[in-house]
Amino acid sequence: MRRREFITLIGGAAVAWPLSARAQHPSAMRRIGVLMGIAENDTDAKPRATAFEHGLQELGWTEGRNVRIEYRWAAADFERMRAYAAELVALAPDLILANSTPVVAALQQATRDIPIVFVNVVDPVGSGFVANLARPGGNITGFLIFEFSMGGKWLETLKQVAPRVKRVAMIFNPQTAPFGESFARVAEAAAPAFAVEMVSAMVRDSAELDGAVASFAGKPDGGLIVLPDLFNTDHRDTIVALAARHRLPAVYPFRYFAASGGLVSDGVDGNDLFRRSASYVDRILNGEKPADLPVQAPSKYELVINLKTAKALGLTVPLPVLARADEVIE
């Protein structure tokens, strides 16, 4: 019988891994917990869950046949994150998939034994989740969403699409994005080269968000950088609406912002990361330890431009920028 394999990239080299023996035998039922920081009815919820499950299926793991998946949706609620973390740990799953920094923090408080694979985490070393990226050293490993250098890249993209911008506010919630200041420092260092002034707009609730954007928009030539932040994701429609109301060009980290009416998104394909996370789930179910699995960087980026929004803002997107866009929404 031919051995079934999957291919993954490690350090740029293709490596073939045999499918887990457990994955090939339906009688070996395993349990996976999944704690998502977003709400179950979020438009991005089903695509990410589907991408993860498709990744598992490619490796021989099928829901109801040899694996049972327990989902919990925290809807950006800290108390719910902690409650669901304890609930999933009490189920004693073989491992837990977690997305976002606050979700992983809640799980880390709940267990130091159950393997945790994270997706959409920015700074796992600074957050204390892993000892280092090459050898995590504990029960946690996973997939980075962004490196801090993106702070400068977002600023560059914003200036390319909206050259008149001279003031830029970086929006984030310090509770859900404790790494926000690191992005801000990178953007501030790059700001002189783009002739812009950077400010950090730290907001903790809807009222602060509305007030911060309105206050910033009181002076001309402003623009926004919206960080990858569970709070921003949960309030994305509000942020997009505020940017439109105050006529502020904005760059966002994920496609769904542009699909919701945002000017431009420049970032990682989040669904691809969920699909890729299945490879680590398979390897852990097959006996490997998170401590030995290096944290992986994103491999698929996407630039999405909303021309309808650009037109509403009176912007003409340069042809070279349109040419490198992965998607143009008209």
Side-chain angles (χ1 to χ4, degrees):
M1 179 180 296
R2 182 184 178 189
R3 184 179 67 173
R4 298 173 64 198
E5 298 178 331
F6 75 96
I7 305 296
T8 188
L9 290 177
I10 298 179
V15 179
W17 298 88
L19 277 178
S20 162
R22 291 183 180 272
Q24 298 182 58
H25 294 287
S27 61
M29 182 69 72
R30 311 300 293 276
R31 176 175 281 185
I32 299 171
V34 178
L35 182 49
M36 302 285 279
I38 58 179
E40 187 173 6
N41 62 357
D42 188 293
T43 55
D44 209 46
K46 185 175 181 180
R48 292 191 171 186
T50 298
F52 173 58
E53 292 181 20
H54 281 176
L56 287 176
Q57 289 169 10
E58 291 173 358
L59 300 171
W61 299 97
T62 303
E63 166 69 27
R65 183 177 67 87
N66 56 1
V67 68
R68 190 176 307 282
I69 305 175
E70 298 278 354
Y71 284 95
R72 299 293 186 274
W73 306 87
D77 184 308
F78 284 106
E79 291 302 320
R80 195 175 299 176
M81 287 176 204
R82 286 189 281 267
Y84 282 154
E87 187 175 309
L88 285 174
V89 167
L91 293 176
D94 293 282
L95 63 84
I96 299 174
L97 181 75
N99 90 304
S100 81
T101 296
V103 165
V104 179
L107 283 167
Q108 187 182 43
Q109 290 177 356
T111 180
R112 297 290 176 136
D113 300 314
I114 297 173
I116 296 169
V117 175
F118 62 72
V119 185
N120 289 11
V121 166
V122 171
D123 184 18
V125 176
S127 298
F129 302 151
V130 300
N132 60 68
L133 300 183
R135 293 189 65 83
N139 66 317
I140 303 175
T141 189
F143 295 77
L144 288 172
I145 188 69
F146 289 112
E147 295 179 306
F148 293 131
S149 60
M150 280 299 294
K153 180 65 166 58
W154 286 318
L155 184 57
E156 179 183 19
T157 299
L158 182 60
K159 285 289 288 186
Q160 288 175 339
V161 176
R164 71 170 183 262
V165 166
K166 296 178 181 178
R167 302 165 50 251
V168 179
M170 183 171 281
I171 297 177
F172 64 96
N173 183 330
Q175 294 175 308
T176 50
F179 45 78
E181 287 288 4
S182 295
F183 280 116
R185 282 192 290 272
V186 172
E188 287 166 2
F194 297 104
V196 300
E197 174 191 354
M198 287 295 308
V199 300
S200 292
M202 291 182 277
V203 297
R204 293 169 178 78
D205 54 39
S206 297
E208 287 190 6
L209 173 62
D210 189 270
V213 175
S215 175
F216 177 78
K219 295 181 181 180
D221 301 324
L224 304 176
I225 293 176
V226 178
L227 288 190
D229 174 357
L230 193 57
F231 174 87
N232 288 342
T233 293
D234 193 53
H235 291 80
R236 63 177 174 267
D237 290 337
T238 299
I239 295 172
V240 168
L242 285 170
R245 182 190 311 162
H246 295 287
R247 299 187 59 77
L248 293 170
V251 60
Y252 303 90
F254 302 114
R255 179 194 177 278
Y256 49 72
F257 282 96
S260 296
L263 175 61
V264 56
S265 66
D266 189 359
V268 172
D269 183 340
N271 292 339
D272 180 64
L273 287 181
F274 273 85
R275 182 191 60 79
R276 289 175 61 202
S277 71
S279 65
Y280 269 13
V281 171
D282 175 80
R283 291 173 66 178
I284 291 170
L285 293 179
N286 203 25
E288 296 190 58
K289 297 182 182 303
D292 301 324
L293 299 177
V295 174
Q296 293 198 28
S299 61
K300 187 176 180 182
Y301 293 82
E302 54 185 3
L303 176 68
V304 181
I305 298 171
N306 191 314
L307 283 184
K308 182 178 179 181
T309 300
K311 183 178 180 181
L313 292 170
L315 298 173
T316 300
V317 181
L319 289 177
V321 178
L322 286 174
R324 64 183 178 86
D326 297 280
E327 182 180 356
V328 176
I329 299 173
E330 300 185 72

